[in-house]
Amino acid sequence: MYQLLILLLLFNLSVFTWNVVLSPDASDVHPALVEPDIPALELRHDVENVVYSSNSAGTQSSCYTIGPYNSERAAQLVGGKVRGFGLAVQVRAMRSMETLNFLVYIPPLAGYEEAEKVAKDIAGFDVQDVLIINEGPYRNAISLGFFNNLNKAKRHAEYIRYLGYDAHYTEQQAAREVFWLDYDEPFGSNAPVQTWSAAIDATSEVQRIPRACKS
């Protein structure tokens, strides 16, 4: 067995020596760089020019809507800044409902006398701003105050219910006209529209919203 292993090793060594050292074509064999029917690759040195011309041929943009502005004058002034920056812009008016405050109240009662009695009872618990409404859809209802914060209105209504009265709260709204700006901004221009908005009209709490660009 040992002699057989020695013979196999000697045979493999002989074959390796012939292929690598003694073969007459061993030093002349090189792998083909290209196939006969396939053209070779060429290294381009004008890549930057190609990329630049490709981008300039079709510059893409992001489109935004910013607002709402409380006055048309503020929207027009900001729009002028955007146009001066070289961007297309359009001022758009829109009617929206504005929350004025929140009313806490007891729904209309059967008559004024009953409403007066309930109002006196509630005032006895040191509740402020108790008022009987004399006209309109809330006639003979009891107003328990206006609040500019929803959580405060909820807490006050809960306290009145704790006293044993059927208190509710409702949002008081009014229609108003606000203004928005639609503008297109090429990638990389970064127009400081929100900064201009804050400088021109600090009373408008604007937000920038992405929108679909018109084709």
Side-chain angles (χ1 to χ4, degrees), residues 184-202:
D184 301 347
E185 183 176 62
F187 291 143
S189 62
N190 299 322
V193 182
Q194 288 175 293
T195 302
W196 294 333
S197 300
I200 291 173
D201 183 11

Side-chain angles (χ1 to χ4, degrees), residues 28-164:
D28 298 331
V29 177
H30 299 284
L33 295 178
V34 296
E35 293 294 333
D37 299 330
I38 301 177
L41 296 177
E42 296 182 3
L43 182 63
R44 294 290 298 267
H45 298 284
D46 59 343
V47 174
E48 292 184 1
N49 294 332
V50 173
V51 173
Y52 174 78
S53 61
S54 174
N55 287 339
S56 60
T59 302
Q60 296 186 2
S61 299
S62 296
C63 299
Y64 299 98
T65 293
I66 188 168
Y69 296 93
N70 294 326
S71 69
E72 184 177 9
R73 180 177 181 276
Q76 292 290 357
L77 288 174
V78 177
K81 292 280 190 180
V82 176
R83 290 189 190 92
F85 201 76
L87 306 181
V89 63
Q90 179 181 3
V91 178
R92 177 167 48 89
M94 178 180 294
R95 291 187 66 83
S96 68
M97 298 302 294
E98 178 184 16
T99 298
L100 300 177
N101 48 46
F102 300 91
L103 169 66
V104 178
Y105 68 101
I106 293 176
L109 299 171
Y112 181 83
E113 292 77 11
E114 184 179 354
E116 186 176 33
K117 180 179 181 303
V118 173
K120 289 180 179 179
D121 290 343
I122 294 176
F125 291 99
D126 199 26
V127 177
Q128 305 297 318
D129 300 324
V130 180
L131 177 67
I132 299 174
I133 301 174
N134 292 319
E135 57 185 13
Y138 286 93
R139 183 177 181 181
N140 293 329
I142 301 174
S143 170
L144 300 171
F146 293 91
F147 299 85
N148 57 9
N149 183 284
L150 177 59
N151 289 329
K152 291 181 179 180
K154 287 181 177 180
R155 287 197 299 268
H156 192 60
E158 289 172 359
Y159 175 67
I160 300 300
R161 284 196 291 267
Y162 170 76
L163 297 178

